[in-house]
Amino acid sequence: MHGETDRKAHQLLIQHWHDLARRSYRDNRPYFTDFLPQEDEIPAKKIAAENGVVCMAWGGTENTARVMLCFAPDSTFAVPERFPITCLTISHRGTSMLRHRDVLGALMACDIRRDLIGDILIAPKLVQIFVCSHIVPILLQELSQIGRVGVSVADDQPVCLAAQQNLIAYSGTVASLRADAVTAFVTHLSREKASQLIRQGKLVRAHETVETPSASMQIGDVFSIRGYGKFRLDAIDGTTRKGRYHITIQKYQ
């Protein structure tokens, strides 16, 4: 069930990107998506090239995990200043740092969809959030509390917090680059149990469910396993004498 739902969602997303690229070429103007995972930039660029346009990703500052895509006739249109992204600065007098899930929950309680929200950067007594510009009036009016903490919101402050993707790297060897072998490595399960997870539709790569244990994994693949987290196959560093592959995995925190 999960696999079929994921496939349909992926097909709709790809169709949407093709539509934006075609419209950009036809109208000679940029078109923008809502916020997406940063890794979507790679397949989107291929779709842009197929339709005679360019694609750029921007999340409001450097190194964001969530980005907006711009399909544009050429690179002069695809510049950060054109993206309809606003940085909201939230200040508070709470004694401890706000938690990411509490901030996200407060935003969604204002009836804001997740894809309208980019990265949430948190520091003591300060939070900066990148959002689609058209929802700013709603948040300025309705967002006054996060959890039990009263907050004030401004849309005219410069970005002062850095986006940092928290990744944990670890290395080891796998018998092959098959999906079941890599899944077993990151979940610490046997190949048999890893194969069961895959057949249950729990391995998702680039919005598509991988349902075949023998599917090949490649450097740069970003994948998630329901119940275990999100990962990236970062490097393949040769083989052992017995033919096993040295790999490095990055796990998103």
Side-chain angles (χ1 to χ4, degrees), residues 118-165:
D119 276 26
I120 299 172
L121 312 180
I122 300 177
K125 300 189 181 301
L126 186 70
V127 176
Q128 292 196 306
I129 308 166
F130 300 102
V131 300
C132 291
S133 296
H134 70 273
I135 68 170
V136 169
I138 297 172
L139 294 175
L140 289 177
Q141 180 176 346
E142 297 189 11
L143 186 60
S144 60
Q145 186 169 323
I146 296 176
R148 298 181 179 180
V149 178
V151 300
S152 60
V153 185
D155 63 349
D156 58 355
Q157 301 298 310
V159 179
C160 62
L161 301 180
Q164 297 180 345
Q165 295 191 38

Side-chain angles (χ1 to χ4, degrees), residues 52-96:
V53 296
V54 300
C55 176
M56 176 185 171
W58 180 244
T61 190
E62 300 290 340
N63 301 318
T64 56
R66 294 176 63 76
V67 297
M68 187 179 286
L69 300 176
C70 171
F71 293 90
D74 58 59
S75 57
T76 61
F77 288 88
V79 293
E81 294 76 17
R82 286 181 174 264
F83 279 70
I85 297 174
T86 298
C87 175
L88 291 181
T89 299
I90 298 175
S91 54
H92 65 93
R93 295 183 178 180
T95 57
S96 59

Side-chain angles (χ1 to χ4, degrees), residues 16-25 47-48 51 53 71:
H16 179 55
W17 290 350
H18 273 290
D19 181 56
L20 292 179
R22 286 191 291 263
R23 289 164 62 189
S24 176
Y25 181 84
I47 289 173
N51 290 278
V53 296
F71 293 90

